[in-house]
Amino acid sequence: MKRRHSAEPRFADRWQAGQFLGDALAPFVADVRPADRVVLGLARGGVVVAAEVAARLGAILDAIVVRKIGSPFQPELAIGAVGPEGVRVFNRGVVADLGLTEPEVSDLADQVARTRDLLNDELRGGRPAARLEGKLAILVDDGLATGASMRAAVTYARRTASAVIVAVPTAAPDVLATFETHG
């Protein structure tokens, strides 16, 4: 979605943020049958927001487990992220700035992928993921800091969904700009 609100609203909680997003998205999805709308909340913080979006849009709700690959020097700094079905995205600029080698990056990604798979199994309890083939995938998180996790989710969804929308209540302006121009 290339539109955004010029002034970022403040929300009391994730539920209120989801209600706002659902109402804001309604005009953009009006021509898509509710059964062809799949709202995927990025686990864990985005699921509550996504539940409200799905309720407002009458859409299918599911979770997508993606995990940030943190820098070995500063774990909160994302050097990339892993998603379902082997999806891996990297912030090559950050990797280069940190002087990480390909084997180091690969080892970090493998460790995070194992953690992601365990969390996915725990959350799903054997239930399969929602099918995205021919559907509009609406990816929802509670916010974007570096955007790495959302990029992994977008990469996954674009494999089969007919269209992808990213919806977040708050984001760093420079990160938001990358999604508006590059997706």
Side-chain angles (χ1 to χ4, degrees), residues 60 91 138 148 152:
I60 298 163
N91 182 338
I138 303 168

Side-chain angles (χ1 to χ4, degrees), residues 1-2 31 58 84 89 111-113 143 150 179:
M1 180 166 73
K2 303 254 184 219
D31 61 339
V89 298
Q111 291 170 20
V112 173
M150 185 60 77
F179 280 92

Side-chain angles (χ1 to χ4, degrees), residues 92-109:
R92 294 292 176 191
V94 173
V95 169
D97 289 347
L98 295 173
L100 297 172
T101 66
E102 284 301 317
E104 289 171 324
V105 171
S106 181
D107 286 346
L108 289 168

